[in-house]
Amino acid sequence: MAEETLFTKIINRELPADIIYEDEHCIAINDIAPKAPTHLLVIPKKPIPRLVDATDEDAALLGHLMLAASKIARQAGVEDAFRLIVNNGAEVGQTVFHLHLHILAGKKFSESQLGF
Ligand code: 5GP
């Protein structure tokens, strides 16, 4: 069996994390090394390694993650201004190979560069 990802261990409570939201399909946690005053991660319970590994079967799950991100942003009080980021591949900064959405808010982002 494939080894559990870091995020699966967090989902299964085998590792500690600040879980601020949970439903049937995903959790949200505070990022351990925040790049903005609000930096949350929305993580599907299904351990899809990268966005490109998702298939048509995952369409409903991917939609669910977007709606969950919107709910979580509202819950965090940042619904009027947040950035949603998915890193796909080590070259663009993906370090945990279990799909996740970054919600970043509370600072000014440059308009020309889509990054942290
Ligand atoms: P990536 O670079 O893969 O897009 O994002 C991974 C994120 O997970 C990083 O922002 C990193 O700070 C965060 N992270 C890594 N390990 C942990 C951990 O053990 N707990 C939490 N809460 N966040 C983590």
Side-chain angles (χ1 to χ4, degrees):
M1 222 171 82
E3 203 179 312
E4 280 187 347
T5 70
L6 171 71
F7 289 159
T8 295
K9 289 181 182 153
I10 288 175
I11 289 161
N12 292 340
R13 274 59 176 183
E14 292 158 12
L15 283 177
D18 246 352
I19 299 180
I20 56 143
Y21 173 90
E22 181 162 24
D23 65 30
E24 199 186 338
H25 300 295
C26 68
I27 64 164
I29 61 176
N30 283 311
D31 197 290
I32 204 168
K35 308 287 191 306
T38 298
H39 187 171
L40 310 173
L41 303 173
V42 183
I43 306 166
K45 291 184 175 177
K46 179 176 178 182
I48 299 165
R50 302 168 303 166
L51 181 61
V52 289
D53 299 312
T55 68
D56 287 349
E57 267 182 32
D58 299 311
L61 175 60
L62 296 180
H64 180 87
L65 293 175
M66 293 291 278
L67 287 171
S70 140
K71 266 188 224 165
I72 292 157
R74 192 176 291 281
Q75 181 185 298
V78 300
E79 69 273 19
D80 289 330
F82 66 94
R83 184 167 279 186
L84 204 55
I85 290 177
V86 175
N87 289 323
N88 184 98
E91 214 173 300
V92 297
Q94 186 175 3
T95 57
V96 179
F97 286 80
H98 179 144
L99 177 65
H100 50 282
L101 279 53
H102 295 259
I103 297 175
L104 293 139
K107 75 167 200 187
K108 192 114 179 93
F109 294 99
S110 80
E111 286 165 26
S112 58
Q113 206 199 0
L114 283 172
F116 291 153

